Amino acid sequence: MAFDTPAARHLAVTKTSSGISLAHGALSTRRPLDDKPGFMARDTVTQKPHCETPRLTGNPAMARKAPSLPPSRRGVLPAAAATAPQKMPVMRRYEVSSLGANGDVETSRHVAPATPQFEAAFSAFARGTLMATTQGLCAIEDLLPGMEIETAEFGPRPVMWIGSMTILPDAPVETPDQTRMTRIMADTFGMGRPMADVMAGPAARLLHRPAALRELNGTGARSGQVFTPAADFEDGMSTIRITPPRPVTVYHLCLDRHASIKVSGIDMESFHPGLGLEQRMGPNMLSLFLSLFPHIRCLDDFGPLAYPRATLETLDSLTAA
């Protein structure tokens, strides 16, 4: 079992007992709960000052005297002082299982930013979600790299990578949607679709054919089918958005090619980072992102998208047009 912590090479972080890791300085030092030596509150971080108090050199009297500025420049800060320091991103722990070159299952643990781009690779299916494999239905947490899973386009395909993380309801995140789930009730899209309730994560997408594209008849982008976020189907009755009251473990998986997989009777998307990720990330952040996928060397290795992606709002605008 190999453990890799890219944060040690990129960002200094402080882990807490809840699974979230914050950059140094994000947690304040807490006072002891009692007078026993060494007894500190949970998630206590004791930090030392980065440097000593600067010492004055030269004439102390001159050093204490504040320089006078002309009235026209009073209240104007230098450009360097006016520039606010960049806020360090919140870090979190990600678990990865992948299929090695020799066919063995390799597991690793990573610390990376808790941003939507990173979490999208780990937050599609809640623990207990049933996947259709060549060996029958299998819960997502029992799935292993190398097992073959049923796809709607290419038949059984091997699982190359499985990622997991824990959604914490009170975690400090960039957007509230990162901590929300979508419950899809049984038979929402027809008999046995899904066959049981599905708890979809923030990154889950469903394959469907919108009314505006039903006249298309082909393959891929010309088939009239698109991947749409599961959260877009919220109606308050059969599909409900919820914030889990307690931590929830969520998963995502990557096949040898992008496809729609059979999840409890409905077709949902396997992981793909999408197009233009290199334009939304800097080179260092992109290198950190790719390090989470041992079987991938560059974004092109993910292959093409099996179907286009579109939100319901976009599809509704096509219908109106």
Side-chain angles (χ1 to χ4, degrees), residues 26-287:
L27 288 179
S28 60
T29 304
R30 300 182 184 179
R31 301 178 61 183
L33 295 182
D34 60 18
D35 55 356
K36 295 181 180 180
F39 185 85
M40 299 296 290
R42 184 180 180 186
D43 289 348
T44 300
V45 179
T46 303
Q47 301 185 6
K48 298 180 179 179
H50 295 288
C51 60
E52 296 180 355
T53 303
R55 299 179 180 177
L56 299 178
T57 58
N59 189 340
M62 296 298 295
R64 289 194 297 268
K65 183 178 180 181
S68 60
L69 293 176
S72 60
R73 297 196 58 189
R74 289 176 184 174
V76 179
L77 295 177
T83 303
Q86 294 184 354
K87 184 179 180 181
M88 297 298 292
V90 176
M91 309 295 285
R92 78 152 59 246
R93 185 178 62 192
Y94 299 99
E95 307 283 344
V96 168
S97 296
S98 60
L99 188 64
N102 57 357
D104 293 338
V105 175
E106 301 175 355
T107 60
S108 56
R109 179 179 300 172
H110 305 258
V111 176
T115 61
Q117 291 83 4
F118 278 82
E119 291 190 357
F122 298 83
S123 59
F125 311 109
R127 182 182 179 89
T129 303
L130 297 178
M131 303 284 173
T133 71
T134 54
Q135 303 174 20
L137 294 178
C138 180
I140 183 71
E141 65 269 21
D142 296 328
L143 202 63
L144 294 175
M147 297 178 64
E148 292 189 339
I149 195 168
E150 298 288 348
T151 68
E153 304 81 19
F154 314 113
R157 306 302 303 183
V159 176
M160 302 298 297
W161 178 94
I162 301 174
S164 66
M165 56 172 260
T166 300
I167 290 182
L168 302 174
D170 56 350
V173 293
E174 291 186 6
T175 63
D177 288 342
Q178 290 177 249
T179 60
R180 302 187 69 187
M181 308 283 290
T182 303
R183 180 184 291 277
I184 305 174
M185 304 298 187
D187 303 330
T188 294
F189 302 107
M191 186 65 68
R193 302 183 62 241
M195 63 182 67
D197 290 3
V198 171
M199 186 68 76
R205 290 186 177 90
L206 278 69
L207 180 67
H208 72 114
R209 187 189 301 273
L213 303 177
R214 287 177 182 172
E215 295 182 0
L216 297 179
N217 187 12
T219 59
R222 298 182 179 181
S223 66
Q225 299 183 91
V226 296
F227 286 119
T228 298
D232 286 5
F233 294 92
E234 176 188 6
D235 58 10
M237 297 181 293
S238 57
T239 305
I240 305 171
R241 296 292 302 283
I242 63 173
T243 298
R246 58 182 61 88
V248 177
T249 303
V250 288
Y251 302 79
H252 214 333
L253 54 87
C254 188
L255 308 179
D256 61 342
R257 61 188 302 177
H258 185 237
S260 58
I261 55 182
K262 299 292 184 180
V263 180
S264 194
I266 56 178
D267 296 328
M268 303 186 73
E269 184 186 26
S270 65
F271 175 71
H272 192 288
L275 305 178
L277 184 64
E278 67 280 1
Q279 300 174 2
R280 302 191 299 272
M281 286 186 179
N284 293 336
M285 198 64 71
L286 181 60
S287 176

